[in-house]
């Protein structure tokens, strides 16, 4: 291994407590985002195991690429659509990365705005 990797492995144990604390924070923020997204009627929100939330958009809503564009253009936020994936009805699926509690709240507010809830 190179010197950088060797140094990383040497100091890694010193950061175990911080790493565990960070993982707990990420999980807490992700779980709150999951609960907030479930509040949107008709949005299928799948229980996450990673730091993102996978959702299926209702047929009556914008499709995933359109929603992604609205987030980016109107709110300067990026979510991932799944159009290029080998998935039935891939244009109906999005993947939302969980970030900080504040950023997640802003994302939920932006979704509400796009959908006309606010």
């Amino acid at each position: 291994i190179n010197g950088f990797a060797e140094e990383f492995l040497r100091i890694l144990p010193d950061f175990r407590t911080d790493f565990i604390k960070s993982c707990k924070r990420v999980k807490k923020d992700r779980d709150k985002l999951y609960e907030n997204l479930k509040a949107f009627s008709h949005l299928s929100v799948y229980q996450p195991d990673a730091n993102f939330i996978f959702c299926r958009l209702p047929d009556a809503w914008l499709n995933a690429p359109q929603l992604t564009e609205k987030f980016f253009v109107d709110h300067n936020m990026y979510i991932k659509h799944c159009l290029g994936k080998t998935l039935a009805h891939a244009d109906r699926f999005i993947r939302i990365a969980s970030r900080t509690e504040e950023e997640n709240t802003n994302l939920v507010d932006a979704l509400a705005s796009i959908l006309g809830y606010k």
Side-chain angles (χ1 to χ4, degrees):
I1 61 176
N2 65 32
F4 180 76
E6 188 175 331
E7 179 63 13
F8 175 78
L9 291 173
R10 186 186 70 72
I11 66 170
L12 185 61
D14 298 340
F15 295 94
R16 180 173 172 73
T17 302
D18 291 334
F19 176 73
I20 291 169
K21 189 162 60 167
S22 176
C23 288
K24 287 179 182 179
R25 176 90 244 169
V26 167
K27 185 178 183 311
K28 181 180 175 190
D29 291 342
R30 180 211 57 203
D31 290 347
K32 185 172 182 184
L33 174 61
Y34 169 72
E35 292 300 324
N36 289 337
L37 289 171
K38 285 188 353 180
F40 289 94
S41 59
H42 309 296
L43 178 64
S44 298
V45 184
Y46 298 91
Q47 179 73 44
D49 285 325
N51 68 334
F52 63 88
I53 314 291
F54 192 62
C55 305
R56 187 189 192 287
L57 305 173
D59 293 335
W61 289 13
L62 299 170
N63 67 31
Q66 291 168 328
L67 184 63
T68 299
E69 182 178 351
K70 293 286 283 177
F71 264 103
F72 188 71
V73 171
D74 297 350
H75 300 279
N76 198 31
M77 295 179 184
Y78 182 75
I79 62 169
K80 176 109 175 97
H81 64 72
C82 298
L83 182 60
K85 305 295 182 190
T86 55
L87 175 70
H89 309 287
D91 69 324
R92 305 305 315 160
F93 288 90
I94 57 172
R95 196 179 117 161
I96 300 173
S98 178
R99 300 191 41 112
T100 67
E101 182 178 3
E102 180 182 359
E103 290 170 309
N104 291 345
T105 298
N106 290 341
L107 184 135
V108 170
D109 290 345
L111 181 58
S113 173
I114 290 168
L115 299 175
Y117 285 75
K118 287 189 174 188

